[in-house]
Amino acid sequence: MPTYNEMSREELLQEKSELEARFEEVKAKGLKLDMSRGKPSASQLDLAMGMMDVLNSDSDLKCEEGIDCRNYGVLDGIREAKQLLADMMEVSIENVIIYGNSSLNVMFDTVSRSMTHGVMGSTPWCKLDKVKFLCPVPGYDRHFAITEYFGIDMINVPMTPTGPDMDLVEKLVSEDESIKGIWCVPKYSNPQGITYSDETVRRFAGLKPAAKDFRIYWDNAYGIHHLYEDKQDYLPEILLECKKAGNPDMVYKFCSTSKVSFPGSGIAAIAASTNNLVDIKKQMTIQTIGHDKLNQLRHVRFYKDIHGMVEHMKKHADILRPKFEAVLDVLEKELGDLGIGSWIRPRGGYFISFDALPGCAKAIVAKAKEAGVVMTKAGATFPYGKDPQDSNIRIAPSFPTPEELAMAAEIFVLSVKLVSIDKILETK
Amino acid sequence: MPTYNEMSREELLQEKSELEARFEEVKAKGLKLDMSRGKPSASQLDLAMGMMDVLNSDSDLKCEEGIDCRNYGVLDGIREAKQLLADMMEVSIENVIIYGNSSLNVMFDTVSRSMTHGVMGSTPWCKLDKVKFLCPVPGYDRHFAITEYFGIDMINVPMTPTGPDMDLVEKLVSEDESIKGIWCVPKYSNPQGITYSDETVRRFAGLKPAAKDFRIYWDNAYGIHHLYEDKQDYLPEILLECKKAGNPDMVYKFCSTSKVSFPGSGIAAIAASTNNLVDIKKQMTIQTIGHDKLNQLRHVRFYKDIHGMVEHMKKHADILRPKFEAVLDVLEKELGDLGIGSWIRPRGGYFISFDALPGCAKAIVAKAKEAGVVMTKAGATFPYGKDPQDSNIRIAPSFPTPEELAMAAEIFVLSVKLVSIDKILETK
């Protein structure tokens, strides 16, 4: 089959007419499908229902250290929860603080603290004329929302198949003292599913920032969220790499169990150097008496240890894998040869990233919505919601059922085709 | 019996010698007792153990609105949790946002947001030369720690038996635009157990602050924490009073279930006007996807409604009342006639406040520690930890057993007597 670009105006109009007929058919079904957010499905949540039973009124609610988890105290988390999340983050237990239910909240607090109190003694960012963050794009909209909320200028850095464009990152970071951070989802990235290469990680660890208070915001949200047991990406551990490179304090690592146990009812953590943790605890000790230790205990009693968690994640993978494959198969079958879009086949994470012809993303999302499929807003994967190419669309296949997904994917490719034909026709 | 001041030098020395002998006796027991923090005792925590059973793997984990509480979503709390805490706070459900596990964290975030983003469009406080808070004293150390952390100047306002000195509050607030807030624990106050009078509340509601972004931080931590069923204090509802006075936006009200269910594993809330809630949600929607809905559901399923919570609080009272009375009885019996200290008999809350002779508080706390009784650090009830009179001591009788308390109270009064005699001897 020729690509759409190779087709004549007449051929395109003919194709369009057939696609429109099919589109009207599916539209008439009045579907309501949501591929907009990275939400686990009910069957994934069912996997952790045992967590509802591990603590009951007969349970010993003391943690290993003998502390009554029902009462006040323990600022930075009970030891066994620290150990579990340390193993999940591949760091030492002494580098971990356990937080509440949301790693997003930890990241927000980290930026907020830097605004009001600086970083390890630096000038509070709110006292500076200008603060900037580097934002690998496409990226995670909620990261960008935090920096936008605090009035931090965001600079786009293109993603490559091996991670952010490190030539650009190194150049910008070393030249501009107002650049204070970079948002990273280093493994199975949101939305592309890219895992940073070993070289990229090493180059991150070796950065020579002009700003002493520059930090890498390493949101390892999908560290154990593989889709394939036999095809897993490997990511060097950033705290150790930074330490080896003589930059032990340059990174904050974030994680949570939101997509392991229950979103909203999981536990979150930060990992960082001792110097950073001392700095963080100065805030934390004022902010709270401590986070929910019963929920920490509930997680440890359910998963027992990192092995239990890894086994649990295989069950998630068994549910997610067919969904990803269903969407990817439709994309490949229907769009593979047409030259109107590209995507990467991820080995983990929660998203598929689709790059349409420039200028088509918004129209595709709008078109899919006509037929009842809600996609992430076009542009959302870029700072300020502005995709300069109007090209990137994030597909979140986790929540719908496989049957719904097959239908949603068909509507999506129909929308891509229809919008792309219109775009190509403009030039014919 | 004469007061210590009326006694001669010789009489005092004789008394001191007897007290010292008794002190050495109890000291020799090598006790380890803690009256420092307002922690519920294990038997109080046992009251809520049923909460560990209300959710299990067979439970329907959907809230009233049909939302799966295991998944992402619902920024400001599930409806039934809002209703429960609205009733607890005596406000309408539409004025409530449910947060995570700690009202302290909500207060911290409220000040932090004001620093970086101002209040309903005002200049961010971090951009101002000077920001001040009024601090009724004695007060809650963790409140003062928040304002100190953010570099906010704290101005002491003396407490009276009816609440803060309102003449002074009205004067300062109306004259000084840099005064942006006041910390209040209006019912069974920390540490005195004072409930603001109706007139005090009305005068609060009628304040005419020079600063448009002035807010009353109304921490109603002990709103339903009565000690006596038949002797309860009544506090007019501040949101309504502010509305009546034409100042609907002037107050934030905070509460949590920390001392209702489990400290650290409770749920917290803020109540405020619609204008304030809109402002707050602008931050919240960036900060988190939502708080722990399963824990919200757990609370509602356990307490069912405010009636269930009120009944539950009677059980807390049954445990706490004898403890308070044990301490108060020792104070009255041993110190009642001696003129070396004063205190108020609280009808609720978690503390007894003791005012020693000026210049004696630190020495008394140190003396008690010698015999193994840990008290709240002297000065802690004042901003910057500085009690200008060195007089106030906070007694927290909730955690020890009644037997321990009797012993601790004896050591405390011995310490008060010994230190007071030394102080009076200086002048004889």
Side-chain angles (χ1 to χ4, degrees):
Chain A
M1 193 167 174
T3 68
Y4 276 5
N5 234 337
E6 292 162 352
M7 287 164 75
S8 69
R9 190 174 171 81
E10 291 63 36
E11 285 170 320
L12 284 172
L13 287 171
Q14 173 62 28
E15 170 90 353
K16 186 180 173 186
S17 158
E18 287 164 24
L19 292 167
E20 275 175 342
R22 176 65 190 145
F23 190 83
E24 291 307 316
E25 274 176 45
V26 291
K27 189 175 160 181
K29 294 187 183 175
L31 299 167
K32 220 180 145 190
L33 304 168
D34 194 332
M35 296 204 296
S36 71
R37 302 299 316 179
K39 281 173 78 167
S41 61
S43 56
Q44 287 177 267
L45 303 177
D46 289 343
L47 297 173
M49 280 306 278
M51 192 178 284
M52 295 284 100
D53 297 327
V54 288
L55 299 189
N56 59 53
S57 56
D58 295 324
S59 301
D60 175 12
L61 298 178
K62 289 199 173 70
C63 61
E64 282 173 12
E65 291 159 290
I67 294 156
D68 187 342
C69 291
R70 302 173 302 174
N71 218 329
Y72 285 117
V74 189
L75 184 65
D76 57 357
I78 61 173
R79 190 167 57 196
E80 53 265 58
K82 280 187 183 173
Q83 187 62 61
L84 180 62
L85 267 66
D87 288 342
M88 185 178 164
M89 292 203 274
E90 303 175 330
V91 298
S92 292
I93 188 168
E94 65 266 24
N95 295 115
V96 172
I97 294 175
I98 307 292
Y99 276 80
N101 74 323
S102 157
S103 59
L104 189 74
N105 202 331
V106 184
M107 293 179 238
F108 179 97
D109 283 4
T110 304
V111 174
S112 184
R113 180 182 63 247
S114 305
M115 292 299 294
T116 56
H117 288 77
V119 177
M120 282 174 53
S122 78
T123 305
W125 296 354
C126 70
K127 303 289 185 198
L128 301 175
D129 289 334
K130 192 63 96 180
V131 176
K132 301 174 191 159
F133 256 58
L134 301 185
C135 299
V137 290
Y140 179 32
D141 54 351
R142 291 190 189 271
H143 285 164
F144 304 152
I146 290 174
T147 26
E148 184 175 359
Y149 176 76
F150 284 103
I152 294 171
D153 282 2
M154 294 183 276
I155 302 169
N156 291 1
V157 173
M159 281 289 286
T160 78
T162 57
D165 176 342
M166 290 309 294
D167 291 343
L168 187 57
V169 170
E170 286 168 348
K171 181 175 181 306
L172 291 170
V173 158
S174 65
E175 285 174 359
D176 187 347
E177 208 189 338
S178 67
I179 295 176
K180 302 298 189 188
I182 180 167
W183 288 119
C184 296
V185 183
K187 193 164 177 180
Y188 306 134
S189 71
N190 179 349
Q192 292 167 298
I194 289 171
T195 298
Y196 295 5
S197 70
D198 296 4
E199 190 201 339
T200 296
V201 176
R202 271 195 303 275
R203 289 176 74 178
F204 262 110
L207 285 176
K208 304 275 172 261
K212 279 192 181 146
D213 50 356
F214 171 87
R215 293 292 180 274
I216 303 164
Y217 284 63
W218 198 257
D219 180 7
N220 202 9
Y222 308 107
I224 59 172
H225 301 60
H226 313 286
L227 287 171
Y228 301 93
E229 214 176 322
D230 56 339
K231 288 184 289 178
Q232 296 186 1
D233 288 351
Y234 171 77
L235 181 75
E237 200 292 298
I238 188 70
L239 260 67
L240 184 58
E241 291 305 316
C242 283
K243 204 172 171 186
K244 286 191 215 164
N247 288 321
D249 300 329
M250 199 171 60
V251 63
Y252 302 126
K253 190 174 188 174
F254 306 93
C255 93
S256 84
T257 68
S258 291
K259 294 184 181 85
V260 178
S261 57
F262 298 121
S265 302
I267 55 177
I270 196 170
S273 69
T274 306
N275 286 336
N276 278 315
L277 294 191
V278 166
D279 196 44
I280 290 168
K281 283 184 194 171
K282 278 183 202 158
Q283 174 200 39
M284 207 173 171
T285 190
I286 306 295
Q287 186 177 29
T288 186
I289 305 174
H291 291 288
D292 186 342
K293 293 186 297 300
L294 288 176
N295 205 31
Q296 294 172 25
L297 195 65
R298 190 175 285 122
H299 277 73
V300 178
R301 296 266 171 98
F302 181 64
Y303 291 110
K304 296 191 172 65
D305 55 26
I306 187 63
H307 176 66
M309 201 178 256
V310 164
E311 291 298 311
H312 188 83
M313 293 312 289
K314 290 181 187 170
K315 299 178 197 165
H316 278 286
D318 288 341
I319 295 172
L320 285 170
R321 196 185 320 110
K323 296 189 181 189
F324 274 75
E325 290 179 349
V327 173
L328 288 162
D329 289 351
V330 172
L331 293 181
E332 269 154 41
K333 179 163 165 275
E334 295 292 327
L335 301 176
D337 302 321
L338 298 182
I340 55 172
S342 62
W343 58 94
I344 296 167
R345 226 187 150 89
R347 292 177 167 187
Y350 262 69
F351 302 103
I352 298 162
S353 175
F354 183 83
D355 285 312
L357 294 178
C360 289
K362 277 186 193 163
I364 291 168
V365 169
K367 191 77 191 165
K369 199 179 176 185
E370 269 184 48
V373 174
V374 180
M375 315 284 304
T376 310
K377 207 175 160 211
T381 51
F382 284 74
Y384 312 105
K386 285 181 194 155
D387 176 356
Q389 297 281 317
D390 184 26
S391 163
N392 188 251
I393 298 171
R394 188 180 79 164
I395 301 172
S398 56
F399 193 72
T401 63
E403 297 70 36
E404 290 172 332
L405 266 183
M407 189 55 69
E410 188 192 346
I411 291 169
F412 177 70
V413 296
L414 278 171
S415 305
V416 172
K417 287 177 180 177
L418 282 165
V419 169
S420 301
I421 287 175
D422 281 344
K423 176 59 71 181
I424 292 166
L425 282 173
E426 286 173 16
T427 64
K428 295 256 172 189
Chain B
M1 193 169 176
T3 68
Y4 275 6
N5 233 336
E6 292 162 351
M7 286 164 75
S8 69
R9 190 172 174 84
E10 290 65 35
E11 285 170 320
L12 283 172
L13 287 171
Q14 174 61 29
E15 170 89 353
K16 186 181 173 184
S17 157
E18 287 164 25
L19 292 167
E20 274 175 341
R22 177 65 189 145
F23 189 84
E24 290 307 316
E25 274 176 43
V26 291
K27 189 174 160 181
K29 294 185 183 175
L31 298 167
K32 218 179 146 191
L33 304 168
D34 194 331
M35 296 204 296
S36 71
R37 301 300 318 179
K39 280 172 79 166
S41 62
S43 57
Q44 287 178 267
L45 304 177
D46 289 343
L47 297 174
M49 280 306 277
M51 192 179 286
M52 295 285 101
D53 297 329
V54 288
L55 299 188
N56 58 54
S57 56
D58 296 324
S59 302
D60 175 12
L61 298 177
K62 289 200 173 69
C63 62
E64 282 173 11
E65 291 159 291
I67 294 155
D68 188 342
C69 290
R70 302 172 303 173
N71 218 329
Y72 285 117
V74 191
L75 184 66
D76 56 358
I78 61 173
R79 191 168 55 197
E80 53 265 57
K82 279 187 183 174
Q83 187 62 61
L84 180 62
L85 267 66
D87 288 342
M88 184 178 164
M89 292 203 272
E90 303 175 330
V91 299
S92 292
I93 187 169
E94 65 266 23
N95 294 115
V96 172
I97 294 175
I98 307 291
Y99 275 81
N101 73 324
S102 157
S103 58
L104 189 74
N105 203 329
V106 184
M107 294 179 238
F108 180 97
D109 283 3
T110 304
V111 174
S112 185
R113 180 182 62 247
S114 305
M115 293 300 293
T116 56
H117 288 78
V119 178
M120 281 174 52
S122 77
T123 305
W125 297 353
C126 70
K127 302 290 185 196
L128 301 175
D129 289 335
K130 189 65 94 182
V131 176
K132 301 174 191 160
F133 257 57
L134 301 185
C135 299
V137 290
Y140 180 33
D141 55 351
R142 290 190 190 269
H143 284 164
F144 305 151
I146 290 174
T147 26
E148 184 175 1
Y149 177 76
F150 285 102
I152 294 170
D153 282 3
M154 293 183 276
I155 302 169
N156 292 0
V157 173
M159 281 289 287
T160 77
T162 56
D165 176 340
M166 290 309 294
D167 291 342
L168 187 57
V169 170
E170 285 168 349
K171 181 175 182 305
L172 291 170
V173 158
S174 64
E175 284 174 359
D176 188 346
E177 207 188 341
S178 67
I179 295 174
K180 303 297 188 186
I182 180 167
W183 288 118
C184 297
V185 184
K187 193 164 178 181
Y188 306 134
S189 70
N190 178 351
Q192 291 168 299
I194 289 172
T195 297
Y196 295 6
S197 70
D198 296 3
E199 190 200 339
T200 296
V201 175
R202 271 195 303 275
R203 288 176 74 177
F204 261 110
L207 284 176
K208 303 274 171 262
K212 279 191 181 149
D213 51 354
F214 171 87
R215 292 292 179 274
I216 303 164
Y217 283 63
W218 198 257
D219 180 7
N220 202 11
Y222 308 107
I224 58 171
H225 302 59
H226 313 286
L227 287 172
Y228 300 93
E229 214 175 321
D230 56 339
K231 288 184 289 177
Q232 295 187 1
D233 288 351
Y234 170 77
L235 181 74
E237 199 291 299
I238 188 70
L239 260 67
L240 184 58
E241 292 304 316
C242 283
K243 205 172 169 185
K244 286 191 216 164
N247 287 322
D249 300 330
M250 200 171 59
V251 63
Y252 301 126
K253 190 173 189 175
F254 306 93
C255 93
S256 83
T257 69
S258 291
K259 293 185 180 84
V260 178
S261 57
F262 298 121
S265 301
I267 55 177
I270 195 170
S273 69
T274 306
N275 285 337
N276 278 314
L277 294 191
V278 166
D279 196 44
I280 291 167
K281 283 183 193 171
K282 278 184 203 157
Q283 173 199 39
M284 205 172 174
T285 191
I286 306 295
Q287 186 177 30
T288 184
I289 305 175
H291 291 290
D292 186 341
K293 293 185 297 298
L294 288 176
N295 205 32
Q296 294 172 24
L297 195 66
R298 191 177 283 121
H299 277 72
V300 177
R301 297 266 172 99
F302 181 64
Y303 292 109
K304 295 191 173 64
D305 54 26
I306 186 64
H307 176 68
M309 200 177 256
V310 164
E311 291 298 311
H312 188 84
M313 293 313 289
K314 291 180 187 170
K315 300 178 197 164
H316 277 286
D318 288 342
I319 295 171
L320 284 169
R321 195 184 321 109
K323 296 189 180 189
F324 273 76
E325 290 180 349
V327 173
L328 288 163
D329 289 350
V330 172
L331 292 181
E332 268 154 41
K333 179 162 165 277
E334 295 291 327
L335 301 176
D337 301 321
L338 298 181
I340 56 172
S342 63
W343 59 93
I344 296 168
R345 226 186 151 90
R347 293 177 167 186
Y350 263 70
F351 302 103
I352 298 162
S353 175
F354 183 83
D355 285 313
L357 295 179
C360 288
K362 276 187 195 162
I364 291 168
V365 170
K367 191 78 190 166
K369 198 178 178 186
E370 269 184 47
V373 175
V374 180
M375 314 284 303
T376 310
K377 206 175 160 210
T381 52
F382 285 75
Y384 312 106
K386 285 180 193 157
D387 176 357
Q389 297 282 317
D390 184 26
S391 163
N392 188 253
I393 298 171
R394 188 179 79 163
I395 301 171
S398 57
F399 193 71
T401 64
E403 297 71 35
E404 290 172 333
L405 265 184
M407 189 55 69
E410 187 191 344
I411 291 169
F412 177 71
V413 297
L414 278 171
S415 304
V416 171
K417 287 177 180 177
L418 282 164
V419 170
S420 301
I421 288 174
D422 280 345
K423 176 60 69 180
I424 292 167
L425 281 173
E426 286 174 15
T427 64
K428 296 257 167 184

